Amino acid sequence: MTPPFETDLHSEYLRADLFFSMGQPAEAARLLEPLVETEPANEAALELLARSYYGSAQLRRAEEALLRLVELAPANGWARRALARTLERQSRAAEATVHHRVADALGAE
């Protein structure tokens, strides 16, 4: 008897990255959600999930993912900048300012 199929998390990440690269961020997010649930400290998966949410205009979800990423890696300038831009897209410029300043201090583009 063969063992039940187990999802290979790395393969799922690569599939999600491919969907994201092909301009299908919503599908990428769908694939990444269970992966991030299984491995909540996986920064690469969390970043791609945030990018996927942002790219599919799921701004509240992008904000939540980016807040988690900033919590895991406070010195991640890219995450700070992305969080600031996500807040700005939600007309929350005042909240974005602090994240822009930290991103500037970290040398993020």
Side-chain angles (χ1 to χ4, degrees):
M1 182 171 185
T2 59
F5 175 75
E6 287 187 33
T7 303
D8 174 10
L9 298 178
H10 182 69
S11 295
E12 286 299 288
Y13 175 85
L14 294 175
R15 283 184 61 216
D17 189 43
L18 181 61
F19 276 106
F20 184 82
S21 298
M22 292 176 12
Q24 297 181 33
E27 183 62 20
R30 186 187 69 75
L31 292 171
L32 288 162
E33 287 166 350
L35 193 154
V36 169
E37 188 174 309
T38 302
E39 292 191 20
N42 185 323
E43 292 177 31
L46 196 51
E47 180 179 318
L48 186 55
L49 179 61
R51 292 174 64 204
S52 298
Y53 283 149
Y54 186 88
S56 60
Q58 298 179 62
L59 300 178
R60 289 302 257 162
R61 287 180 169 183
E63 177 186 352
E64 290 171 10
L66 288 164
L67 285 169
R68 287 174 54 194
L69 187 56
V70 164
E71 185 178 305
L72 287 171
N76 183 331
W78 177 90
R80 294 284 186 162
R81 183 76 70 206
L83 178 56
R85 290 183 178 149
T86 300
L87 292 167
E88 288 172 337
R89 279 188 66 186
Q90 296 177 79
S91 300
R92 295 163 57 196
E95 293 174 64
T97 301
V98 68
H99 297 290
H100 274 305
R101 287 183 180 154
V102 173
D104 290 344
L106 294 169
E109 294 292 320

